[in-house]
Amino acid sequence: MELYNYFRSSASYRVRIALALKGLDFDYKSVHLAKNEQFNESYSAVSASRLVPLLKDGEAVVTQSMAIIEYLDEVHPEPPLLPGDALCRAYIRALSQDIACEIHPLNNLRVLRYLVKELGVGDDNKTRWYQHWVESGLAVVEQRLKAEGRAGRFCFGDAPTMADCVLVPQIFNAQRFDCRLDHVPTVMAIFEHCMSQEAFRQTQPSACPDAE
């Protein structure tokens, strides 16, 4: 397998965690977003969207981090990242989407670039934008974790799932932008426990070969 990704991309980090949890080897293919390498012809020929991550598994090509994780879970079912019955899996998917669909799209690199370059938003207001959506979005995740009563050491019980693969990279980004996190103690307890696990540590941005 080959994973086209960028060390600082939270979506890429999600997939690196999933691969590590399943003990799957892959070739690390760097696509440096800050240097606009996603627009190189060689990558454009592989990815129509010019986004990362992208997984090549033999002749198969899978894009979008959530789809990649579910693909890996179907092809390599142990350990399961979507365990339990249909309702449990729906909970894990919903929690993952609270982050991947409601927080992340508003603060990824291309959105922040548009705010600055096209709309003339200054750095201070760009940071305020980022912090608002991350802090309010994580508050929803915190409420869900408490209200649903399904969390343990991880987002769902005591084994990592897709929700943890999605949560941890978002916290990394939140810390990078100095977001307030004292209002989400359950989220942070799960994050700290995840980071005690090798699969989350060995795949973090600073451990990547293209890290700066």
Side-chain angles (χ1 to χ4, degrees):
M1 285 189 288
E2 297 177 338
L3 181 67
Y4 291 78
N5 69 142
Y6 174 48
F7 79 100
R8 197 169 275 158
S9 159
S10 59
S12 297
Y13 187 12
R14 296 168 192 165
V15 177
R16 295 197 302 268
I17 295 168
L19 287 162
L21 287 170
K22 290 184 176 292
L24 298 172
D25 294 328
F26 65 94
D27 291 332
Y28 189 107
K29 302 292 186 180
S30 176
V31 181
H32 201 297
L33 301 186
K35 297 178 181 178
N36 294 321
E37 290 181 357
Q38 67 272 31
F39 299 115
N40 292 347
E41 288 186 13
S42 59
Y43 189 62
S44 298
V46 179
S47 172
S49 66
R50 300 178 179 86
L51 300 176
V52 293
L54 178 147
L55 181 75
K56 291 185 71 176
D57 185 10
E59 296 300 316
V61 175
V62 189
T63 61
Q64 292 291 345
S65 62
M66 307 283 279
I68 295 172
I69 293 172
E70 294 214 29
Y71 167 80
L72 292 172
D73 213 42
E74 292 180 11
V75 177
H76 303 278
E78 296 297 332
L81 298 180
L82 284 159
D85 60 18
L87 189 59
C88 292
R89 294 193 298 274
Y91 164 77
I92 293 167
R93 288 187 176 101
L95 192 60
S96 301
Q97 291 174 16
D98 278 336
I99 299 168
C101 300
E102 304 297 338
I103 302 175
H104 177 254
L106 290 162
N107 57 52
N108 67 17
L109 180 60
R110 60 180 179 163
V111 170
L112 298 180
R113 278 180 169 175
Y114 187 84
L115 286 174
V116 173
K117 293 183 178 181
E118 302 298 327
L119 300 183
V121 174
D123 285 342
D124 287 346
N125 282 331
K126 180 191 74 172
T127 299
R128 286 177 58 199
W129 165 282
Y130 186 101
Q131 291 171 339
H132 169 76
W133 294 114
V134 171
E135 291 169 7
S136 59
L138 288 176
V140 172
V141 175
E142 175 77 11
Q143 183 179 14
R144 181 187 288 275
L145 288 168
K146 289 181 176 179
E148 299 272 355
R150 297 175 183 267
R153 291 180 298 172
F154 295 95
C155 289
F156 178 74
D158 292 324
T161 67
M162 181 168 69
D164 302 287
C165 295
V166 176
L167 175 67
V168 166
Q170 188 62 64
I171 299 301
F172 261 79
N173 280 353
Q175 292 174 331
R176 180 175 163 230
F177 279 82
D178 295 321
C179 294
R180 183 173 67 91
L181 294 169
D182 57 354
H183 65 308
V184 289
T186 308
V187 166
M188 292 309 296
I190 291 170
F191 170 77
E192 294 296 339
H193 182 70
C194 286
M195 293 310 298
S196 72
Q197 308 297 306
E198 186 64 20
F200 293 85
R201 286 200 309 270
Q202 71 183 17
T203 54
Q204 64 181 291
S206 62
C208 291
D210 57 340
E212 297 177 339

